Amino acid sequence: MQIPLSNPDITELEKKAVQEVLNTPNLSLGPKIPEFEKMAADFAGVKFAAAMSGGTAVLHTIVKALGIAKGDLVLTTPFSFVATANCLLYEDAEPIFVDIDEHTYNITPESVEQSYLALPPEKRKRVKAVIYVDVFGIPADGPGFESLSQKYGLRIIDDAAEALGSAINERRCGSFGDAGLFAFYPNKQVTTGEGGILLTNNKEIFNIAESLRNQGRDKGAGWLQHARLGYNYRMSDINAALGIAQFKRIEEMLTKRKRVWERYNHHFSHIFSRGLLHPQKTPPGSVVSPFVYVLRLSTNHTRKDRDRLLFFLKKEGIQCSNYFTPVHLQPYFKKMGWQYGDMPVAENVSERTVALPFYNNLTEKQVEYVVQKVNDFFL
Ligand SMILES: Cc1ncc(COP(=O)(O)O)c(C=O)c1O
C-alpha cells in the first residue's frame, strides 16, 4: 500500500468552478475575490478579509500594517512553520522565541508574559507584538492573549494558517487579536492551490494590507498610482473560485477530516495507554479542526528512535514527516545567536514527533494499515 502524507479533496464542483472562471476574461482582480473574501470573513466571524497569494504574504502585510519595523521585538513560538518568524525578518524586526507547552505544543499567555517580564526594561520597551500559532489546528489561548494585549498594550497576531474551523470559547481561530489568517496550500483544510487570507475587525489594518498586496495602490486609485511601497501579493480569480467551491463544501470536508482524526485516536488508544506514544492535547473549551495527525514518542525514546520509525514507515509505503524542526535552530536563526538548549520543550517535542498521513479521504483500511505498521515498529 502507498499512502501519501496529504491529498487535496477536489471534486467536480471545484473543477467546474475553475473552468467557469477560465471562460471569462476576469482571471485576476475579478469578482471571485470579494466573493471568496466574504465567505472567509463570515466563516471566521470577522468584518474584513483580504485574499493573498499565500499565508506568508498575509503575515508580512500584517507586520507592515501594524508598523512593526527595524529594531522592534516580537514574542513568538519556535514550534511552527518558518513563515511565522520570517515575516519579522523581512522588516528587520526580531523574534524573541518563547518555549511551548509540552502537551498542546502552543505558546501560552502565561509563558509569553513570563518571557516579556524577564526582559531587561530597555529591551521590553521594544516589544511591539505577539504572534501565536494554533499549531496543527489545536487552538491556542486566544482569549488569554487578548487579555495580555490589554494589560501590556501589545498587538496580537493569530496565525491560524493551520486551524481553519478550530475554535475556542465559541470563537473561531483566526479571529482573535488585531489580525489573523488562514492559509490554503494543498495540505490545508481548505485549498486554493496557493493562497492565504487576512482576517481582521480593524478597518485600518485591512485598508493598508489591501493596498500592500496590490503594489501599494489605494482602493479605487489608478493602475499607475502607488501610495506606498507595495508588493504583488494578489490571489487570482482562478484560485479564489477553487476556494469558493471548497467553502461551499466546508461542513462536509471538516466532518470527514474529524472522522479520520477520531479513527486514528481510536485505533491508537491501546498504544497511548501503554505510554509509548502521546497524542497532542486539546485545551478545554475548544473545537479542533485538525490540520495533520502528529504523535509524539515517549521520553524513553530518542531522536534516533523517531528517525528509525520514519524510515520504517516510509519503507512500508507510508509517507510521514518530522513536523517541526524548531525555527530557532534553522541556520540563519543560529547565526543570530539562537542555539540548541534555548527552547528545551520545543526541542524535546520536535525530536520525538511524527506526522502521519492525514487527509479527508483517508480510508478506514488505510488508517488501520498505518496503525498496524506503527504497532509492528514497537513490537
Ligand atoms: C503556521 C503557519 N504560518 C504560516 C504559513 C505560511 O503559509 P503559506 O505557505 O501559504 O505561505 C504556514 C504554512 O504552512 C503555516 O503552517
Side-chain angles (χ1 to χ4, degrees), residues 54-56 59 80-81 83-84 133 159 161-162 181 183-184 188 194-195:
T56 311
L59 279 166
S80 181
F81 186 65
T84 307
V133 176
D159 182 348
E162 303 175 1
L181 64 135
F184 304 120
K188 297 292 193 305
E194 291 283 1

Side-chain angles (χ1 to χ4, degrees), residues 56-314:
T56 311
V58 175
L59 279 166
H60 187 195
T61 59
I62 295 174
V63 164
K64 287 203 70 131
L66 291 178
I68 295 167
K70 192 176 171 76
D72 291 341
L73 304 176
V74 175
L75 296 153
T76 191
T77 175
F79 195 70
S80 181
F81 186 65
V82 283
T84 307
N86 281 356
C87 65
L88 300 167
L89 303 189
Y90 299 155
E91 293 304 316
D92 290 325
E94 229 184 278
I96 301 219
F97 294 109
V98 176
D99 212 353
I100 57 169
D101 175 81
E102 65 173 317
H103 303 295
T104 62
Y105 314 157
N106 285 322
I107 52 171
T108 65
E110 294 74 25
S111 56
V112 167
E113 182 172 30
Q114 221 174 37
S115 300
Y116 177 69
L117 294 176
L119 291 170
E122 67 281 5
K123 234 179 162 181
R124 202 184 308 152
K125 264 193 262 158
R126 289 165 53 203
V127 177
K128 293 285 149 57
V130 176
I131 306 181
Y132 74 87
V133 176
D134 306 290
V135 82
F136 306 146
I138 302 287
D141 184 0
F145 283 112
E146 286 189 341
S147 304
L148 203 66
S149 160
Q150 290 191 336
K151 196 164 169 189
Y152 297 109
L154 299 171
R155 312 302 294 263
I156 303 289
I157 302 170
D158 175 6
D159 182 348
E162 303 175 1
L164 187 148
S166 298
I168 186 153
N169 291 3
E170 295 178 7
R171 267 176 69 192
R172 286 236 155 98
C173 293
S175 69
F176 288 91
D178 293 277
L181 64 135
F182 296 145
F184 304 120
Y185 186 73
N187 61 357
K188 297 292 193 305
Q189 291 90 338
V190 162
T191 187
T192 59
E194 291 283 1
I197 202 156
L198 179 147
L199 306 161
T200 185
N201 288 310
N202 183 319
K203 181 100 170 78
E204 200 183 330
I205 293 175
F206 171 69
N207 285 343
I208 296 173
E210 245 201 338
S211 168
L212 290 171
R213 78 169 166 186
N214 190 19
Q215 301 285 18
R217 298 178 183 104
D218 275 335
K219 206 175 183 124
W223 189 248
L224 296 177
Q225 279 177 293
H226 307 272
R228 53 182 63 75
L229 173 67
Y231 308 87
N232 181 355
Y233 283 166
R234 294 186 302 263
M235 177 184 276
S236 82
D237 279 54
I238 304 167
N239 298 82
L242 177 50
I244 291 167
Q246 293 256 289
F247 265 115
K248 283 186 179 156
R249 302 173 46 230
I250 191 74
E251 291 310 325
E252 170 211 329
M253 291 202 307
L254 296 183
T255 304
K256 280 190 195 171
R257 220 171 167 88
K258 191 79 191 255
R259 196 179 305 138
V260 175
W261 201 61
E262 280 164 359
R263 266 185 193 146
Y264 265 132
N265 281 341
H266 172 72
H267 288 294
F268 274 125
S269 56
H270 66 287
I271 294 202
F272 294 158
S273 60
R274 285 167 62 202
L276 294 170
L277 285 170
H278 303 285
Q280 193 181 359
K281 281 221 174 112
T282 303
S286 65
V287 171
V288 176
S289 165
F291 161 51
V292 285
Y293 193 81
V294 170
L295 292 178
R296 178 169 48 91
L297 276 75
S298 76
T299 42
N300 295 331
H301 296 94
T302 62
R303 181 196 197 111
K304 269 203 178 129
D305 295 325
R306 190 278 306 275
D307 292 344
R308 278 199 308 115
L309 174 59
L310 290 174
F311 184 78
F312 174 77
L313 293 176
K314 283 180 188 161

